[in-house]
Amino acid sequence: MRLERLLANMGCGTRKEVKLLIKSGKVAVNGKILRDPGAQVIPGQDQIVCNGQAVEYRKYIYLMMNKPAGVISATEDAKDRTVLDLLDPQYRHKGIFPVGRLDKDTEGLLLLTNDGPLGHRLLSPKKKVFKTYYARVQGQVTAADREAFRNGIVLDDGYRTLPGDLNILSEGPISEVEVMICEGKYHQVKRMFLALGKQVLYLKRVAMGDLVLDPRLRPGEYRELESEEIQRLTAVTE
Ligand code: URA
């Protein structure tokens, strides 16, 4: 891999910035200063030091974000802020993308990674990875609604969803529920309730497979996954 690419990928700066660092003698490879941005290095094998700091090579980055309402879960948008805009510069420009979409007004667990194969497996309908949502719903959610979720619900476009689980946490003029579904159709949870004549007022994803949103993350905050979390996430897709 080109030295400048590795440094930019590892968050040492933009391509332009790392080129300057290399040319000004701030980068050493295996103890020797290299001034050629195009020098070939072996990721994970060559010892690279940039500005006096060892650069640890990682092929993939995995971030767990508590997505806030008001931002779009896409890599770019002509009008609105995206979840990538919330990331520190060291995590941008690395091919990181959000795994699946949450609506603009939905909060909660969003996985961001540059591990394309894992992202695709997590979204594949064949893998049936369950996503868990907490929702506040207008009106009384009943045992009949729970049964409807269990049987699959016919949406406004005629599609019958796969069976889901509905757990009623509290009933009243506004009910609180937990929903588990293994698909990701457009506005799926909201449309499932709409088909039952009910409106979702607030929606938050709390888990994806075994990966649970860290309660310490406030909306807009994120952290890297721990290796054990990455292993569990990988395991649900196998
Ligand atoms: N279902 C929805 O309706 N919206 C989301 O953002 C996610 C699931």
Side-chain angles (χ1 to χ4, degrees), residues 105 135-139 173-175 190 198-203:
D105 62 352
R136 281 199 287 274
V137 179
Q138 182 92 58
I174 291 175
S175 304
K190 292 172 187 165
K198 291 174 176 118
Q199 195 194 347
V200 170
L201 302 174
Y202 172 81
L203 189 62

Side-chain angles (χ1 to χ4, degrees), residues 115-181:
D115 182 347
L118 177 68
H120 290 119
R121 286 205 306 280
L122 284 168
L123 296 178
S124 162
K126 276 195 229 126
K127 298 289 179 189
K128 293 206 171 68
V129 176
F130 270 89
K131 290 114 193 155
T132 309
Y133 295 87
Y134 163 84
R136 281 199 287 274
V137 179
Q138 182 92 58
Q140 191 101 14
V141 176
T142 63
D145 296 327
R146 196 168 53 219
E147 198 53 31
F149 266 74
R150 199 168 290 153
N151 294 330
I153 292 177
V154 179
L155 302 180
D156 44 12
D157 57 2
Y159 174 76
R160 179 184 283 277
T161 68
L162 290 174
D165 266 344
L166 174 62
N167 195 359
I168 302 170
L169 305 173
S170 78
E171 293 171 60
I174 291 175
S175 304
E176 290 180 292
V177 297
E178 190 181 68
V179 173
M180 282 176 81
I181 53 171

Side-chain angles (χ1 to χ4, degrees), residues 82-108:
T82 73
V83 286
L84 286 201
D85 294 326
L86 302 178
L87 299 182
D88 204 71
Q90 63 153 319
Y91 290 118
R92 290 194 216 137
H93 320 294
K94 280 192 190 185
I96 286 184
F97 62 93
V99 177
R101 281 185 172 241
L102 290 178
D103 298 336
K104 187 174 172 185
D105 62 352
T106 300
E107 294 184 357

Side-chain angles (χ1 to χ4, degrees), residues 189-232:
V189 174
K190 292 172 187 165
R191 286 163 70 211
M192 287 172 91
F193 277 104
L194 268 188
L196 301 174
K198 291 174 176 118
Q199 195 194 347
V200 170
L201 302 174
Y202 172 81
L203 189 62
K204 176 179 182 177
R205 182 156 65 194
V206 290
M208 194 168 175
D210 286 342
L211 183 68
V212 178
L213 178 65
D214 185 334
R216 288 168 299 189
L217 291 176
R218 285 171 303 179
E221 291 184 339
Y222 63 93
R223 68 159 169 82
E224 289 201 20
L225 291 193
E226 285 156 18
S227 53
E228 172 251 341
E229 288 173 320
I230 299 167
Q231 274 161 21
R232 272 194 281 134

